[in-house]
Amino acid sequence: MRVYSFPRGGIFFEDSTVPSRNTSETAFLPALSVIPMIQHTGGRARPLVSVGDAVREGMLIGKGQGMGSANIHAAVPGRVVRTVSWTSTDGLINDGLVIHMEGSFEKLGKSEEVFPWTDLSPSALQRLISDLGIVEMEGTGRPIADILSALPSAGEPYTLVVRCVFDDPWLAADYVLCRERLKAVVEGSVIMAHAVKADRIVFAFSHREKDIGSAFLAEAENYNVPASLVLTGSRYPQRNRRELELVLRNYEKKEETELGSLLILGPATLAAVHDAVKLKRPILDRYVAVGGSAVKNPRVMKVRIGTRIGELFAECGGFIDKPARIAIGSPLLGRTVTDLDEPVIKPSYAVFAMLDSQVGGSVPRNCISCGECRAVCPVGLDPEELFKRISGKKSGLKKSGAPDILNECHGCGCCEIVCPSRLPLSSVILDATVRGK
Ligand code: SF4
Ligand code: SF4
């Protein structure tokens, strides 16, 4: 089968400190959960309960407030014992409810009722997905309701793309999910295709995971929806929207087919869609890869939303030595955290702690003009030049806001990770882009 790859730049990203992709373990239920009112792109959800109130597992406790916001549910039963607020390292002010676990679980350990969905209209499916607070289970957690509202008008051809492109070893949690919940991901894809009236489903798999892709395709044959498998390269950032679209357009040309507009969603999001529609279950837990050189026993864990990351590290045997960096996400794009009480939220697919030897020293040095950053940029930008201009070391960009060239950067982080001088290239470029908007 042909393998489609984006044309230039990128890196083969390997990391021996990620957990094994063989299996997952279920994390301990947290005695205290911290449920943030922002687990999505936009503004905070409005809390519907107060200190002292009892909450049930899966109960709606935060109401989404317009675009970018999504409903929030209690991940465990218990009582709200206090509220907390904090400022994350990226300057976002968040607040949350602290729930002391008590009482009985309505879903955990019970055989859950299954609801038929095939007779539901697309708008009824979309309403369920929105009411149960389903967001993209990665990135900034874009609410699915917002994504759907931006779709092309009815009648135009388009394709649901199930993005299973493993170009970053820190996607281990998604990989394990694809194996352990294959049927749920495929049915979630079919549900989503019905909800948005997509003409077909494309399972986009990196070629090393071809066998799982073939199993997805075989499972999809149980449903009356056209589906195909497209194999991609595994060079990072193959899974980025721009690079994935490039290869799908290439596939379209080679196969003489028409995909139309593309709705691209990941497997964890589609499993959440399945649970929302088929089980009427909000996002109560998620798969998380916990690792890094500072962690004794890295592993992929199934974790309740609201579990504090310090508890996950403790469950993995604690730290070998003092970490130099702790972050949520992948080392390529992750957000550094300084407080081990920060909780796992809907988009938290990985959590890592690195020793200084893995971070490679945190003090930036002078550019040595090696050209590595230019060589890996998939867009063909000159990150060194942009960085120097933004930092004021050269005239040009600083006074003129964010010119088009900055908007071309999609923040893949390739330039920054290869820079031997440890210059924060993509961080500075992205920051300038956001400030200029
Ligand atoms: S972060 Fe931007 S400038 Fe750096 S490699 Fe990626 S696209 Fe290029
Ligand atoms: S990779 Fe770093 S050191 Fe090399 S040219 Fe780019 S900015 Fe300079």
Side-chain angles (χ1 to χ4, degrees):
M1 232 178 138
R2 193 186 180 95
V3 175
Y4 294 87
S5 297
F6 62 95
R8 69 175 163 206
I11 54 173
F12 286 102
F13 182 41
E14 313 243 317
D15 189 338
S16 60
T17 71
V18 296
S20 153
R21 303 197 303 179
N22 287 341
T23 186
S24 69
E25 289 177 31
T26 302
F28 291 131
L29 291 165
L32 283 178
S33 307
V34 180
I35 308 291
M37 289 296 113
I38 301 178
Q39 301 190 38
H40 41 253
T41 322
R44 75 190 278 268
R46 176 171 53 85
L48 299 176
V49 291
S50 310
V51 172
D53 288 348
V55 297
R56 299 184 316 280
E57 182 191 21
M59 178 178 153
L60 179 67
I61 57 171
K63 182 81 186 139
Q65 303 290 299
M67 285 291 281
S69 190
N71 288 344
I72 304 284
H73 299 78
V76 293
R79 192 164 294 280
V80 180
V81 290
R82 60 179 184 274
T83 58
V84 283
S85 65
W86 67 94
T87 305
S88 55
T89 46
D90 54 8
L92 180 76
I93 299 170
N94 207 339
D95 67 327
L97 303 168
V98 180
I99 298 175
H100 181 262
M101 187 175 61
E102 59 187 49
S104 59
F105 285 77
E106 291 174 23
K107 297 179 183 293
L108 180 71
K110 311 268 175 17
S111 65
E112 291 184 59
E113 189 179 354
V114 171
F115 296 88
W117 60 268
T118 46
D119 289 338
L120 294 180
S121 66
S123 56
L125 290 171
Q126 291 185 18
R127 204 162 39 247
L128 263 176
I129 293 166
S130 171
D131 287 350
L132 288 160
I134 308 304
V135 302
E136 268 194 298
M137 301 286 276
E138 56 187 301
T140 56
R142 274 190 310 163
I144 298 300
D146 289 6
I147 297 173
L148 299 185
S149 68
L151 287 177
S153 52
E156 289 181 42
Y158 80 95
T159 297
L160 170 66
V161 179
V162 183
R163 178 171 56 186
C164 300
V165 177
F166 299 98
D167 58 1
D168 175 350
W170 285 92
L171 296 166
D174 267 7
Y175 178 86
V176 175
L177 168 91
C178 281
R179 288 197 355 181
E180 294 186 354
R181 299 205 65 205
L182 186 150
K183 284 174 182 285
V185 178
V186 172
E187 190 168 2
S189 310
V190 177
I191 291 169
M192 183 52 91
H194 276 271
V196 298
K197 299 188 204 156
D199 301 283
R200 62 194 283 184
I201 298 174
V202 162
F203 296 110
F205 271 82
S206 33
H207 63 100
R208 288 188 294 213
E209 285 76 30
K210 181 182 168 197
D211 290 351
I212 311 179
S214 300
F216 268 56
L217 200 56
E219 176 65 19
E221 280 171 13
N222 295 319
Y223 303 91
N224 187 24
V225 56
S228 42
L229 174 65
V230 176
L231 296 183
T232 74
S234 27
R235 189 164 35 107
Y236 178 87
Q238 181 58 79
R239 70 192 299 278
N240 266 24
R241 183 174 183 95
R242 178 183 170 279
E243 280 67 33
L244 191 51
E245 278 204 25
L246 278 176
V247 303
L248 289 169
R249 295 304 171 203
N250 197 6
Y251 165 84
E252 207 173 26
K253 217 171 349 172
K254 290 272 191 275
E255 298 295 321
E256 295 179 359
T257 184
E258 188 185 9
L259 298 178
S261 301
L262 305 174
L263 169 61
I264 302 174
L265 294 172
T269 307
L270 292 162
V273 166
H274 166 274
D275 295 349
V277 171
K278 209 164 173 199
L279 307 175
K280 301 229 171 99
R281 183 188 203 267
I283 301 165
L284 302 178
D285 52 22
R286 65 152 303 134
Y287 285 74
V288 184
V290 186
S293 52
V295 177
K296 275 191 185 150
N297 305 307
R299 58 188 67 160
V300 172
M301 306 178 93
K302 205 170 167 199
V303 179
R304 286 268 153 172
I305 302 298
T307 304
R308 292 167 294 161
I309 60 171
E311 291 191 67
L312 294 184
F313 290 129
E315 221 172 315
C316 290
F319 297 135
I320 292 162
D321 204 347
K322 190 171 183 295
R325 185 183 177 212
I326 297 173
I328 296 177
S330 158
L332 289 162
L333 301 167
R335 176 177 64 81
T336 299
V337 297
T338 51
D339 188 345
L340 290 175
D341 281 340
E342 275 214 31
V344 166
I345 59 173
K346 295 172 188 174
S348 311
Y349 62 91
V351 176
F352 66 84
M354 289 176 169
L355 297 171
D356 196 45
S357 53
Q358 191 180 11
V359 174
S362 52
V363 183
R365 298 181 294 273
N366 287 333
C367 169
I368 55 169
S369 297
C370 65
E372 284 293 317
C373 53
R374 281 186 291 282
V376 298
C377 180
V379 186
L381 301 175
D382 183 341
E384 174 204 353
E385 177 79 3
L386 287 172
F387 176 79
K388 284 179 179 166
R389 286 183 186 274
I390 295 163
S391 314
K393 290 183 182 148
K394 281 188 179 180
S395 59
L397 295 182
K398 202 172 183 187
K399 288 196 183 101
S400 56
D404 288 347
I405 196 165
L406 278 185
N407 290 327
E408 285 176 37
C409 167
H410 54 53
C412 67
C414 287
C415 52
E416 190 164 319
I417 203 145
V418 298
C419 177
S421 297
R422 298 284 158 204
L423 290 166
L425 301 172
S426 56
S427 311
V428 166
I429 295 168
L430 266 184
D431 187 48
T433 310
V434 172
R435 275 189 286 112
K437 276 182 178 162

